[in-house]
Amino acid sequence: MKAFILAGFLLFNLSNDSNNPADEAMSVNLTREKAVPAPELSISFPKNNQKVRGAYKIYGKAKPGSVVELHVSSSYFKTTRDERKKIAKGEGPVARMNRKFSLKADRNGTWLLKEIELLNAGWEETFIIKATADKKSVSIRVYDNTRPVRID
């Protein structure tokens, strides 16, 4: 009986030994693996369905060091004037912008297009921003529906 209690005491102490360097190393390695996941391809700014007007930076995340192909396209509605000299929505949508950029993600996985003009060319304009890297792609839609003003 004494031998049984002594064996249980020894097993309890061995399993609760917090000074075991092998256990600490394994714990640290598991923590590191979980803490650094590879970033998914994303567009962080502007946000989907956001109103835009003017000069913007477009940025997002991708695998560090990967090349991101960014494609910005747009379509707009023309403006017309009717007999009462009011500005109105004309024909459309008409394709306007079609630009491509090749960007590289930094060591943190961030890619950046420093500046692009996202301005309405007519009555209203919709911009499609598509990022492609490593056979994956994401896209967002932003808009500028600022109506033109008639100045007498």
Side-chain angles (χ1 to χ4, degrees), residues 109-141:
T110 303
W111 55 265
L112 167 71
L113 177 64
K114 291 186 179 181
E115 187 173 298
I116 187 167
E117 289 284 332
L118 300 177
L119 286 171
N120 183 355
W123 182 260
E124 60 187 38
E125 189 158 1
T126 301
F127 302 90
I128 303 297
I129 302 169
K130 181 178 180 181
T132 305
D134 300 323
K135 298 180 182 178
K136 295 179 183 174
S137 65
V138 294
S139 61
I140 62 167
R141 174 195 165 278

